[in-house]
Amino acid sequence: MSGDQALQSSQAFGKLERGADGSVLRWHPLIDHMIDVAACFCRLARCRSIRRAMERSAGRKLNEQDIARLAVLVFLHDVGKANSGFQAKRWWDRIPASWPVRISAGHGLEAFRLFDVPSAAAAIEPLIAQVCTWGAACDSLLIASISHHGRPIKDNPGSSVIFWKTQAGAYDPSAILKAIAESALGLYPLAFQPGGVGLPDKAAFGHLFAGLVQLADWLGSDTCFFEFSGPGEARAATAPELAERAITTLGLDAEDWRERLIASEPDFSGTFGGFPPHPIQAAMGDDNLGSLVILESETGSGKTEAALWRYLRLFRAGEVLADALRVAVDILAGDCKFIRGLFDCVQFIPGRGQSGSGPPPAIAGAKPPDRHSVLPIQGAARRSKLEPSKRKRHRGHAMPVGGARKPQAGHA
């Protein structure tokens, strides 16, 4: 929201941007942020390798109703932010006496307590009652979604219900919960159609789902892609396009580039500057090797190029994530000759100038990258130039796939 639209006491924020004095400059509605994250999850679930991993861990194919139901659980990842304690964070220091509680709170453990407050539980009950019909895994998957900050959250008898307190004329968590329930029921109609099978209950699927929710939250919180809602914006209409841009820009879905490789059928010599392959390098082009290969060879025999060539064969077949290429190029300290050999389009690499060779040539039968697409190595060259001490410290932190960072400035 723009600065001229003040955050009212009856409204709930999902994200804030503060000025140097702690004042709220802009705010993003809670429900809009929940929509953003669910949109990112839905788009991630359409990525070839991610969908394959989801179905393998689930032990079955996932249909569109499964994805819609999972999207509802992802949408609910921040339901705990509706509590009065979290919403008190709109004040930098002193919480006014008119607010329901005089201390701030988080939104993980607090989410469990809403069901112990009759008014709060009743507000969201129409949604939860239907979610509970989606199989025995619903509870664990919803907990996984609420635990999206990484540490599994468990019910704590010592946590307080005070944060769901209502103050007449100030803030009512129940009103926000009711709006959340109504939004979910309206936004994901396929999820609530009768029939279907229970959501996957395998532990491996639950672990993967938790990671995807965390990734979706990181992406949906990145203001490079998800600016705060503008006046009158229908976020449900704009979020899918924003998610598409985020995921293709970061190289998490590189189908455009894979299709170009399928159409061009590159050879080793053309990819690596005209040098013919050594025997071990040529062997990596065998499609019968499988997805996991261990290669032993003496120093200087070309194992790095062999690994890149093997990656290329797997990527072309749709068997690996595009983001693995970023790691490979990072190992080579940002050397992009491999990319030049494949695409002749180094101008698409962020942080580098035009190659001087003009646009990449059209390839018959291949769909050109859309205006948001970049090579799946965004950020590799930048990170490779960090000083050694910074490289070590940087890699010691957990980083989301694709280089997306959760915004620091203004994150509540």
Side-chain angles (χ1 to χ4, degrees), residues 162-177:
I162 191 175
F163 298 116
W164 293 98
K165 182 180 176 182
T166 297
Q167 185 83 1
Y171 178 77
D172 183 0
S174 299
I176 303 301
L177 292 172

Side-chain angles (χ1 to χ4, degrees), residues 1 41 91 96 113 125 135 142 171 181 202 206 217 230 268 288 400:
M1 291 290 179
F41 170 80
W91 288 284
R113 294 272 71 91
E125 176 62 24
L142 179 56
Y171 178 77
K202 295 182 180 296
D217 184 50
F268 186 96
N288 297 316

Side-chain angles (χ1 to χ4, degrees), residues 178-203:
K178 181 180 179 181
I180 288 172
E182 291 174 347
S183 295
L185 291 166
L187 290 171
Y188 311 101
L190 179 59
F192 302 101
Q193 290 182 6
V197 297
L199 290 175
D201 60 357
K202 295 182 180 296

Side-chain angles (χ1 to χ4, degrees), residues 111-280:
F112 283 100
R113 294 272 71 91
L114 77 86
F115 298 103
D116 296 328
V117 180
S119 60
I124 204 168
E125 176 62 24
L127 172 61
I128 298 301
Q130 295 205 49
V131 168
C132 289
T133 66
W134 298 345
C138 289
D139 281 352
S140 60
L141 292 174
L142 179 56
I143 291 170
S145 181
I146 294 173
S147 303
H148 59 277
H149 285 294
R151 183 183 298 276
I153 294 173
K154 297 182 179 180
D155 193 2
N156 184 346
S159 58
S160 177
V161 299
I162 191 175
F163 298 116
W164 293 98
K165 182 180 176 182
T166 297
Q167 185 83 1
Y171 178 77
D172 183 0
S174 299
I176 303 301
L177 292 172
K178 181 180 179 181
I180 288 172
E182 291 174 347
S183 295
L185 291 166
L187 290 171
Y188 311 101
L190 179 59
F192 302 101
Q193 290 182 6
V197 297
L199 290 175
D201 60 357
K202 295 182 180 296
F205 181 83
H207 283 284
L208 177 59
F209 176 70
L212 289 173
V213 178
Q214 186 176 48
L215 174 56
D217 184 50
W218 282 343
L219 292 170
S221 299
D222 191 336
T223 53
C224 290
F225 302 111
F226 290 86
E227 284 287 341
F228 292 176
S229 298
E233 180 179 350
R235 196 63 166 197
T238 57
E241 181 180 351
L242 299 176
E244 175 75 21
R245 179 172 179 265
I247 287 163
T248 55
T249 297
L250 294 172
L252 291 170
D253 190 336
E255 283 299 292
D256 289 342
W257 300 104
R258 198 177 73 84
E259 289 175 12
R260 295 186 70 183
L261 291 177
I262 292 172
S264 63
E265 297 188 13
D267 62 11
F268 186 96
S269 178
T271 300
F272 291 98
F275 293 98
H278 296 315
I280 62 165

Side-chain angles (χ1 to χ4, degrees), residues 12-13 31 70 80 91 124 131 139 152 174 177 179 243 256 278 321 325 329 340 362 364 367-368 391 395 399 411-412:
F13 71 88
I31 290 178
L70 291 168
W91 288 284
I124 204 168
V131 168
D139 281 352
S174 299
L177 292 172
D256 289 342
H278 296 315
L321 285 168
L325 184 53
V329 174
R340 290 193 190 95
K367 182 175 66 174
R391 284 173 63 91
R395 288 177 176 169
M399 287 290 294
H411 173 63

Side-chain angles (χ1 to χ4, degrees), residues 264-333:
S264 63
E265 297 188 13
D267 62 11
F268 186 96
S269 178
T271 300
F272 291 98
F275 293 98
H278 296 315
I280 62 165
Q281 295 167 338
M284 292 300 101
D286 186 348
D287 292 332
N288 297 316
L289 285 175
S291 58
L292 178 62
V293 176
I294 299 175
L295 174 63
E296 273 190 272
S297 186
E298 64 272 12
T299 301
S301 59
K303 294 188 295 297
T304 300
E305 289 78 9
L308 289 170
W309 185 238
R310 185 65 194 153
Y311 164 82
L312 172 61
R313 303 295 297 185
L314 292 173
F315 176 51
R316 190 170 177 269
E319 295 296 321
V320 292
L321 285 168
D323 198 66
L325 184 53
R326 275 202 318 113
V327 178
V329 174
D330 201 18
I331 293 172
L332 294 176

Side-chain angles (χ1 to χ4, degrees), residues 78-87 89 103-111 149 153 163-164 412:
D78 267 354
V79 66
K81 284 186 176 180
N83 79 78
S84 299
F86 183 87
Q87 291 300 317
K89 291 184 177 183
I103 54 175
S104 62
H107 61 285
L109 284 172
E110 292 76 9
H149 285 294
I153 294 173
F163 298 116
W164 293 98

